[in-house]
Amino acid sequence: MKAFFEVLEQLYRKVLLGAALENDSHDYIFYLNPAFSDQDCSTTTSSDCSNILDVQGKHQPSSVNLATPSVAPVCLQRHFQMSSTREIMLLQLTVIKVMITRILSVETELHAKEKYRDIIKILLKSSDFDSKLTCMFQNSDKLLSHMAAKCLALLLYFQLKEKITLSNSWISFCQKNLSEYSESDKVVYCLWMLTFVIKEIFKDTCSQKAEILKQFLAPFDTVFEVFYNSLFSQHFENHQDTSKLINSLICFLELLELLIASRIHLKLHFTCQRILFLKPSCVFDVITWPIQAFVKRKFIIFIKKCLLCKVGEDLCRGSVPTFMAPDHPLDVDLLALADAVLQAVDLGLLRTLSVYGKPSCFGGDEVQPGCECVPGPDHVILRAASLLIIRSLEIKFQNGASANEMKVDLQRFMSELLTFLKPHLQPSLQSHNLCEWLSRVFIEQDDDMLEAAKIAMGIYLKLTRECEATESLTQEKEMWNHHTHENGYNPHCIFLFLLKNIGFDSTVLLDFLISSETCFLEYFVRYLKLLQKDWDNFFTICKYFEITESKDNVNICCCISSLVQDRSSNQTEPSPLAVLGNHRDAHAWVSWASEASSEPLNHVVMSEEAQATLQANSLSPPRTSQRLVDYETSDDSEEESTDQRLANSRLTSLHQEAMKKIQDTVGTSRDKKELSLESQSRSLVPKESNTPFSVDCDIGPNNIASKVGISYRTVKCFEELQGAIYRLQKKNLFPYNPTALLKLLKHIETMYNRSMTPL
């Protein structure tokens, strides 16, 4: 026994290093083939297992001499045999697993790889080898069971790679156990191995992945549908031991995700890959079960990934293409899933979600005695539910809904979503802050936030095109603008809230542009194109932000919503929606806001000299921006440092002089309630000013608010981003060609400068 174990250990060490094997392949088969009877391992007794080495010892090659066991008491000898038997079986499985891994590795030498391949092929020709492994992974010993299942899964993948026909006994075993749901552990074993093999196919770098997967899925296409129906038709409350049902649900969910991922990325069209889209209501039924919150969470996230076509991204080698080729069958499937989501929301899906629960912490979710647990919502659920609804709406709108239908659906489902979100956002989401919901919900998850922003913009653009084709009256356009704010999907508000959250920091935008983990490039380009066409509306919304920020952060959406509601009762009051068409008339809104407020705004008419001083300090050149790349030489660094110090010194003097003139103009009105405007934190105003000042309602676009307000800070951020991209491109450090993006940014800067020019 000891000698047998030593031979296996030596073989393991050689295979682990990828060393060539000298002896005949059949000699190694003796040590690798478990001498195990073809029976159910779960009922095998210890005495049966202890006979393994006796069988192996009688049939060992003549070249091997096993040491004779020393005399020992029978009880100790039996215990030693039982322990050694388990260790030998585990070592046999480990050697086989490592050998297959070496065959699949490109780092293994060709001569050694051919020897390993020959050994495994001889091993597979053994009529009962796969039956032995199938028997072993049902063993009550969890470690032995896991190793046997993993070894068998690798052998199946090896057979697929080598174009060897799969074992009929294993296929029959899986088909039998998946033909209907049972609480037997055999179901979980089958699901786990199927999942493992598909994962290995995804990880492969060969170009025949689709053909390999097609060969593997063909025997199970029908049985998967049967199992799907059987599993999701279970009544959770009728199960005494719900852990087995939950385990089966989680295992099958992982397998289902891989099947859908292969549907999207490998363009296969088996029924088992479409079963979710054909019968989506079964999955939503699970969310309504009285089941643990983490199960509902997994299902919600799974559906979200399906709608976003992001299933299996972590398994795809290389970057996943942002733009996929048109796939009409997939579009039909996604529409069916989106309709099912909206129908489930109509039936109260959001009310069944467990938003509160134990906090997920790095060290676990158990709170130690004496420690306070601060309750809070599960933001993962909030984000997933939000994406579910807005993505489903986008898919539905892309498939031929009329403008009126889109407006009705958008108002109905967004109202449902916002009602669901409001109790869980602290500080609470007020009715006038509806456009802020997106940045509040997704603040902790960049990729989901940008995905949601892109979806909201897609909905806005789709509705805009439809409304422009059907609506021409000014009053109808006013109502349309009100609709975008009331339902929280105005793209300008969403983008400005994003910029505010990152402090108008261009380096964050640069990180987003360089990263391949978000869709920011696509979203940003689409927004810049929209901004070119909708500049006046953007400029007006910026003024709303400035005014409402100065009045205890009252958001623009409040003003729009309240005005449109009041317009029906008092037609004489001017609506801010009426001035959305031209930012040069935005002073009408400022005047209205001043009159409608409980405390009048302080009017400060700046002198022409003060305005000229501030206008001289306009958009600074990229030269004063921070360097984001290494310098080629130390001389470059010294040159820029000197120039930047001189520029900053000059700008500081200009700023101090301008502030002095403003203070002289303000006089005694400083103690009144004023509109506080944030000073530029970058090269324009190196040091933030603490001096508040106000804006007169009738000041033109050359006033201080226009220069250091939201619109200025946005364009300034774009300018700094443009300079950073240019420097990276100059050093060949930017990951793609940014020429088109730079043109868009330059055009926005030109539009801003043009809008600042007096009429």
Side-chain angles (χ1 to χ4, degrees):
M1 184 182 297
K2 183 178 179 181
F4 191 93
F5 193 83
E6 288 176 352
V7 172
L8 271 177
E9 275 191 322
Q10 293 174 6
L11 180 60
Y12 170 71
R13 292 191 184 99
K14 286 188 175 182
V15 175
L16 189 63
L17 296 173
L21 302 178
E22 300 82 8
N23 293 353
D24 184 72
S25 298
H26 289 83
D27 291 341
Y28 297 105
I29 297 300
F30 167 77
Y31 293 99
L32 294 177
N33 193 359
F36 208 80
S37 58
D38 187 6
Q39 57 179 316
D40 187 359
C41 289
S42 60
T43 60
T44 301
T45 62
S46 299
S47 59
D48 293 327
C49 295
S50 65
N51 293 327
I52 292 176
L53 293 182
D54 295 337
V55 177
Q56 289 173 327
K58 293 175 182 177
H59 299 88
Q60 63 177 311
S62 57
S63 58
V64 178
N65 295 318
L66 293 177
T68 304
S70 59
V71 179
V74 177
C75 59
L76 294 179
Q77 205 170 37
R78 179 173 295 277
H79 176 75
F80 176 73
Q81 281 186 334
M82 290 168 55
S83 176
S84 299
T85 297
R86 180 178 181 274
E87 296 299 323
I88 286 178
M89 293 172 68
L90 288 171
L91 188 54
Q92 286 174 320
L93 296 173
T94 303
V95 173
I96 294 172
K97 182 178 75 72
V98 175
M99 192 173 288
I100 298 173
T101 305
R102 275 294 177 184
I103 294 171
L104 300 174
S105 174
V106 296
E107 299 178 358
T108 309
E109 294 181 1
L110 183 61
H111 177 65
K113 185 181 293 189
E114 289 299 324
K115 188 71 170 181
Y116 299 160
R117 183 180 284 110
D118 187 46
I119 293 172
I120 296 299
K121 286 183 177 180
I122 295 173
L123 197 60
L124 286 171
K125 288 179 181 178
S126 172
S127 60
D128 61 344
F129 181 69
D130 56 339
S131 299
K132 290 177 182 178
L133 291 180
T134 303
C135 172
M136 290 170 67
F137 72 64
Q138 302 171 66
N139 194 286
S140 57
D141 187 323
K142 296 300 182 183
L143 181 57
L144 185 62
S145 172
H146 174 74
M147 287 299 299
K150 193 167 186 177
C151 187
L152 180 56
L154 276 172
L155 282 170
L156 292 169
Y157 179 60
F158 173 80
Q159 290 174 289
L160 292 169
K161 287 277 291 183
E162 298 293 325
K163 295 181 172 32
I164 301 173
T165 305
L166 295 177
S167 166
N168 287 328
S169 61
W170 181 80
I171 292 176
S172 300
F173 174 82
C174 284
Q175 288 176 336
K176 177 183 177 182
N177 286 285
L178 294 177
S179 60
E180 62 178 358
Y181 171 74
S182 67
E183 294 189 357
S184 170
D185 291 335
K186 296 178 183 178
V187 171
V188 177
Y189 298 143
C190 294
L191 294 174
W192 185 89
M193 281 189 293
L194 290 166
T195 301
F196 182 89
V197 174
I198 297 177
K199 279 184 178 180
E200 291 300 314
I201 295 173
F202 260 104
K203 293 176 184 177
D204 202 339
T205 56
C206 72
S207 58
Q208 293 86 26
K209 286 195 286 189
E211 289 77 8
I212 293 174
L213 185 59
K214 185 177 180 180
Q215 178 190 352
F216 182 65
L217 291 180
F220 305 105
D221 191 29
T222 305
V223 75
F224 277 148
E225 183 178 1
V226 175
F227 182 75
Y228 181 93
N229 295 331
S230 176
L231 177 64
F232 291 117
S233 63
Q234 299 297 309
H235 296 283
F236 183 78
E237 58 276 3
N238 294 340
H239 286 260
Q240 293 182 350
D241 185 5
T242 58
S243 60
K244 290 186 177 180
L245 178 57
I246 291 174
N247 202 15
S248 298
L249 282 171
I250 298 302
C251 289
F252 186 66
L253 191 65
E254 187 177 4
L255 175 60
L256 197 59
E257 181 174 347
L258 290 172
L259 292 173
I260 296 172
S262 64
R263 162 79 178 84
I264 296 172
H265 299 292
L266 300 183
K267 308 301 181 184
L268 296 179
H269 299 88
F270 284 101
T271 303
C272 61
Q273 297 172 297
R274 301 184 59 224
I275 188 63
L276 171 70
F277 305 107
L278 297 175
K279 300 179 180 180
S281 59
C282 297
V283 175
F284 289 105
D285 289 342
V286 175
I287 300 175
T288 63
W289 289 358
I291 200 169
Q292 281 88 334
F294 81 92
V295 179
K296 295 185 178 184
R297 186 193 220 208
K298 279 184 172 291
F299 273 82
I300 287 291
I301 294 173
F302 164 69
I303 299 170
K304 178 201 78 172
K305 292 167 71 175
C306 290
L307 285 172
L308 296 176
C309 295
K310 290 184 175 294
V311 284
E313 276 192 342
D314 53 336
L315 294 174
C316 296
R317 295 291 178 92
S319 59
V320 178
T322 305
F323 301 98
M324 294 188 296
D327 188 343
H328 179 68
L330 179 60
D331 294 338
V332 173
D333 288 344
L334 290 175
L335 178 59
L337 183 58
D339 286 338
V341 170
L342 297 178
Q343 184 179 0
V345 173
D346 258 342
L347 296 175
L349 174 69
L350 297 180
R351 292 189 292 273
T352 66
L353 297 181
S354 303
V355 179
Y356 289 99
K358 291 183 177 180
S360 298
C361 305
F362 181 76
D365 59 4
E366 294 297 330
V367 179
Q368 297 298 322
C371 298
E372 292 186 2
C373 176
V374 180
D378 186 347
H379 283 271
V380 174
I381 289 290
L382 298 183
R383 290 193 293 267
S386 301
L387 278 171
L388 272 187
I389 293 177
I390 62 174
R391 174 58 178 159
S392 297
L393 286 171
E394 182 189 31
I395 293 173
K396 184 177 181 179
F397 295 167
Q398 289 171 347
N399 286 271
S402 66
N404 288 334
E405 289 175 341
M406 286 190 283
K407 284 184 178 180
V408 171
D409 285 343
L410 190 63
Q411 186 164 5
R412 177 158 55 105
F413 289 106
M414 287 303 297
S415 175
E416 184 86 14
L417 175 61
L418 293 172
T419 302
F420 167 71
L421 293 175
K422 283 178 182 178
H424 307 299
L425 297 179
Q426 296 298 329
S428 60
L429 187 66
Q430 302 297 328
S431 59
H432 53 257
N433 271 346
L434 297 183
C435 286
E436 193 181 6
W437 75 269
L438 194 146
S439 59
R440 293 276 300 279
V441 171
F442 294 95
I443 188 66
E444 297 177 357
Q445 195 73 29
D446 293 342
D447 54 345
D448 281 352
M449 175 178 66
L450 296 173
E451 198 72 52
K454 186 185 76 170
I455 292 170
M457 184 185 297
I459 292 174
Y460 175 86
L461 293 175
K462 176 68 176 177
L463 271 169
T464 300
R465 287 191 293 268
E466 294 294 330
C467 290
E468 287 177 350
T470 59
E471 298 177 358
S472 58
L473 297 178
T474 304
Q475 183 178 358
E476 292 176 340
K477 290 183 178 180
E478 289 180 16
M479 294 301 299
W480 156 242
N481 281 300
H482 159 65
H483 192 271
T484 65
H485 294 279
E486 184 184 50
N487 295 287
Y489 67 98
N490 185 280
H492 299 302
C493 291
I494 290 173
F495 186 76
L496 289 174
F497 278 123
L498 168 63
L499 286 183
K500 287 181 65 178
N501 284 340
I502 64 173
F504 294 85
D505 190 346
S506 62
T507 60
V508 178
L509 299 185
L510 182 63
D511 288 340
F512 286 159
L513 285 173
I514 293 175
S515 172
S516 61
E517 297 177 359
T518 70
C519 61
F520 182 71
L521 174 62
E522 180 186 359
Y523 165 68
F524 192 46
V525 169
R526 292 179 70 182
Y527 180 72
L528 291 178
K529 290 180 178 179
L530 170 66
L531 189 55
Q532 289 180 343
K533 300 177 181 179
D534 204 22
W535 173 257
D536 291 339
N537 196 6
F538 165 78
F539 198 92
T540 304
I541 290 176
C542 287
K543 284 186 172 291
Y544 294 165
F545 268 71
E546 294 160 13
I547 298 298
T548 53
E549 275 184 354
S550 68
K551 301 175 73 61
D552 299 326
N553 294 322
V554 177
N555 192 276
I556 172 60
C557 299
C558 171
C559 306
I560 294 177
S561 300
S562 61
L563 275 177
V564 174
Q565 293 171 1
D566 293 342
R567 189 169 55 86
S568 59
S569 59
N570 187 357
Q571 296 292 336
T572 60
E573 292 184 7
S575 169
L577 297 174
V579 300
L580 283 176
N582 191 337
H583 75 268
R584 296 183 186 278
D585 296 329
H587 64 274
W589 156 248
V590 181
S591 301
W592 178 90
S594 175
E595 295 168 4
S597 62
S598 57
E599 297 181 19
L601 300 176
N602 295 319
H603 296 178
V604 179
V605 181
M606 297 175 60
S607 66
E608 294 182 1
E609 186 179 1
Q611 293 183 31
T613 304
L614 285 173
Q615 188 170 1
N617 191 8
S618 60
L619 294 177
S620 60
R623 190 70 182 167
T624 60
S625 301
Q626 292 179 324
R627 286 268 190 171
L628 297 178
V629 297
D630 295 334
Y631 297 95
E632 293 179 349
T633 65
S634 59
D635 295 337
D636 294 341
S637 175
E638 180 63 27
E639 178 184 354
E640 179 173 272
S641 298
T642 303
D643 292 345
Q644 189 164 349
R645 282 196 300 269
L646 291 174
N648 288 344
S649 175
R650 176 177 176 272
L651 293 175
T652 303
S653 300
L654 288 171
H655 172 69
Q656 292 174 348
E657 181 180 351
M659 287 297 101
K660 184 177 185 300
K661 293 179 180 294
I662 293 171
Q663 291 168 10
D664 293 340
T665 306
V666 172
T668 60
S669 65
R670 183 179 304 172
D671 57 334
K672 300 179 181 179
K673 186 175 181 181
E674 302 169 332
L675 297 176
S676 176
L677 299 175
E678 297 181 10
S679 299
Q680 180 64 22
S681 60
R682 297 194 177 274
S683 56
L684 176 65
V685 183
K687 183 177 181 180
E688 185 175 355
S689 172
N690 293 325
T691 306
F693 46 92
S694 303
V695 183
D696 183 76
C697 296
D698 299 323
I699 292 179
N702 287 330
N703 61 28
I704 184 63
S706 301
K707 289 300 179 184
V708 296
I710 298 294
S711 59
Y712 172 79
R713 296 175 68 188
T714 301
V715 177
K716 180 63 179 175
C717 180
F718 288 169
E719 181 210 7
E720 293 174 352
L721 178 64
Q722 183 181 350
I725 294 173
Y726 176 77
R727 291 195 299 274
L728 289 173
Q729 183 190 27
K730 188 176 180 181
K731 293 180 177 292
N732 295 321
L733 294 175
F734 206 74
Y736 50 85
N737 184 2
T739 303
L741 178 60
L742 289 172
K743 287 182 179 179
L744 286 172
L745 291 170
K746 186 65 178 177
H747 190 217
I748 297 300
E749 181 183 341
T750 303
M751 291 178 65
Y752 177 82
N753 290 332
R754 189 184 301 125
S755 67
M756 292 296 100
T757 304
L759 292 175

